[in-house]
Amino acid sequence: ANYVKLTDALQEADTERRKAREEAEARERAAEIRREERQRKIKYMADMPDSQPAGTVDEFMFKEGVQDQLDKLDNDLIGLLAVKSRVKEIA
């Protein structure tokens, strides 16, 4: 029938518990890394002097590749003017 040695069953349960614990720890580490990154960004913005020159939206869009993606969408979404204009508003 469906018999399992007690030691095998205990070992399997320990393995499952260990995997669950490791997954939970990995999620916690990832969340902590995201929090730290967010705090670094906030500190960077807070510590930036008011005299720091800021770039234009066009410069930012070009630098980050956003304009390339918008151009690609513009080509791909032929005839969907409302969609294209909404995507540009959001970007």
Side-chain angles (χ1 to χ4, degrees):
N2 195 7
Y3 295 103
V4 177
K5 287 175 137 181
L6 179 59
T7 55
D8 292 343
L10 289 173
Q11 185 177 4
E12 185 176 334
D14 286 344
T15 301
E16 293 300 319
R17 245 191 323 273
R18 181 183 50 81
K19 286 180 183 178
R21 186 183 71 240
E22 289 173 354
E23 289 171 0
E25 290 170 354
R27 284 191 302 273
E28 289 174 12
R29 281 192 304 272
E32 181 65 25
I33 290 169
R34 285 191 303 271
R35 279 192 296 273
E36 289 172 358
E37 181 62 27
R38 184 172 184 274
Q39 289 303 316
R40 272 194 297 275
K41 288 178 182 179
I42 291 171
K43 183 175 178 349
Y44 174 76
M45 295 301 289
D47 292 346
M48 186 182 298
D50 291 336
S51 61
Q52 177 75 26
T56 65
V57 172
D58 288 337
E59 290 170 345
F60 175 77
M61 288 176 70
F62 179 75
K63 177 183 171 190
E64 298 297 322
V66 173
Q67 189 61 51
D68 292 337
Q69 292 300 318
L70 287 176
D71 291 343
K72 184 177 180 292
L73 279 174
D74 193 32
N75 188 40
D76 292 347
L77 300 176
I78 295 173
L80 299 175
L81 186 58
V83 173
K84 290 191 273 190
S85 59
R86 181 68 179 135
V87 168
K88 287 180 182 179
E89 286 174 14
I90 293 170

